[in-house]
Amino acid sequence: MPTAPFPAPRAAAASSGPTVAIDIGGTKIAGALVDPDGTMTATTRRPTPRGVDADGVMAAVAEVVAELSESPLWASAVRCGIGSAGPVDASRGTVSPVNIGAWREFPVQERVVAELAAHGADLPTVLAGDGVAMTAAEHWLGAARGHANALCMVVSTGVGGGLILNNQLHPGPTGNAGHIGHISVAFDGEPCVCGSRGCVESIASGTAIARWALDQGWSPSDTAPDAGSGTGKAGSAGAGGGDATAAGVAAAAAAGDPIALAAFDRAGRALAAAIAATATLVETDIAVIGGGVAAAGDTLFAPIRHHLAAYATLSFVKDIQVVPAVLGTHAGLIGAAAAATMLLPSSSS
């Protein structure tokens, strides 16, 4: 986290109180009070419950809100932002996270508002998908700071993203604008889980990278993972078993395995095509990439930049930058706060 104060995101910059931030994912539910300079206080988290119904998952969210309400800063909170794994429908306040099976069209915004009120906080609240939240975070305090037009992406089990246009977060009517993972970059490509064909996610997600490498004959035992390769979890494979995930493919690519290198080149080309298409459409000048697959570093970024030269050829897009996200695990909570601050009018506070 930055230590120096930063200006609050636009739209609600005049508000001096903290924002209640809630980050909901498949492994954890976290909360914090986020000050206008980005400082997080009263942070708390719970594991995302497994084997429970919808109310059982919500109970963990309620515990997070209850713990935040014990902070002496609680009474001065001015708004709430909820960042959640998707799909989301921000127009209805509902979520159907792929990695939280108990929630399908779950009214999380309404339920959180009720929990806030139960603890004496009647706050304006906004819901954002995790890709949009990450975008808000990186624009406020991260790699997209200072850029009026930016594309931010999360490349992990899936591929998501969000847009900053004219210094404003642009989530779209349902909160899904910028969902770059489902831009088709191969019109005769394989079917995607979304129902389309040749989507970025079906080529460049961590799942797709590992699947393609295995289909081409790569074996995780071919190259022992190198704990110093800078590929996140690549060194976590057990002895004799190997790591058959994208992290394992990244470790093999770093060691020169040709199939692993080809898998990341293929993913990088898909991402480059989508970045160029987005930049051409809305004139973004930077693409920020985070998520677990981005931990592969140059193994991913080098092919993206190489192929981008062939796709981003027009004068107004050829200089687009591609850089890694910098906020890491802080992006969810910072992003939930930033999204609320950008999307809620200052008069709400």
Side-chain angles (χ1 to χ4, degrees):
M1 283 290 299
T3 55
F6 288 94
R10 293 190 176 200
S15 302
S16 58
T19 297
V20 178
I22 299 172
D23 177 27
I24 300 170
T27 60
K28 71 167 188 325
I29 296 168
L33 298 179
V34 182
D35 289 338
D37 66 357
T39 302
M40 293 194 302
T41 59
T43 56
T44 183
R45 61 186 289 167
R46 299 286 189 281
T48 302
R50 298 292 181 188
V52 299
D53 61 10
D55 286 337
V57 178
M58 185 61 209
V61 180
E63 290 177 5
V64 166
V65 173
E67 186 167 335
L68 292 178
S69 72
E70 296 172 2
S71 167
L73 298 175
W74 178 257
S76 61
V78 296
R79 69 185 72 83
C80 175
I82 308 163
S84 176
V88 306
D89 186 340
S91 66
R92 298 170 57 219
T94 62
V95 296
S96 303
V98 172
N99 49 11
I100 304 178
W103 278 6
R104 289 296 172 265
E105 297 187 6
F106 184 76
V108 68
Q109 184 169 336
E110 176 185 327
R111 296 289 296 271
V112 168
V113 166
E115 290 297 329
L116 294 170
H119 293 281
D122 183 14
L123 301 178
T125 301
V126 72
L127 169 67
D130 51 7
V132 171
M134 175 266 195
T135 299
E138 291 291 334
H139 182 253
W140 181 19
L141 300 178
R145 185 167 178 256
H147 291 265
N149 301 286
L151 165 68
C152 297
M153 306 168 60
V154 180
V155 184
S156 186
T157 306
V159 178
L163 290 167
I164 297 289
L165 300 178
N166 297 323
N167 276 315
Q168 299 294 325
L169 188 64
H170 181 73
T174 66
N176 291 288
H179 202 332
I180 194 169
H182 295 290
I183 289 178
S184 179
V185 292
F187 70 87
D188 58 352
E190 64 182 79
C192 179
V193 293
C194 75
S196 185
R197 183 176 292 273
C199 291
V200 174
E201 184 171 299
S202 70
I203 300 171
S205 70
T207 306
I209 290 170
R211 183 179 64 245
W212 187 87
L214 290 165
D215 287 347
Q216 300 304 307
W218 173 75
S219 168
S221 61
D222 289 345
T223 306
D226 176 3
S229 64
T231 54
K233 297 180 181 178
S236 63
D243 185 349
T245 69
V249 180
D257 182 275
I259 295 177
L261 284 167
F264 270 88
D265 184 76
R266 181 173 179 265
R269 184 177 181 185
L271 291 167
I275 290 167
T278 303
T280 302
L281 187 66
V282 294
E283 289 198 60
T284 52
D285 58 11
I286 190 169
V288 178
I289 304 178
V293 177
D298 280 348
T299 299
L300 177 68
F301 284 89
I304 292 174
R305 291 169 179 143
H306 169 74
H307 289 294
L308 195 59
Y311 289 104
T313 56
L314 293 171
S315 60
F316 59 93
V317 296
K318 65 183 181 64
D319 293 326
I320 186 170
Q321 302 176 53
V322 178
V323 300
V326 299
L327 293 178
T329 57
H330 295 297
L333 287 170
I334 293 295
T341 307
M342 297 176 82
L343 296 174
L344 292 169
S346 57
S347 61
S348 296
S349 48

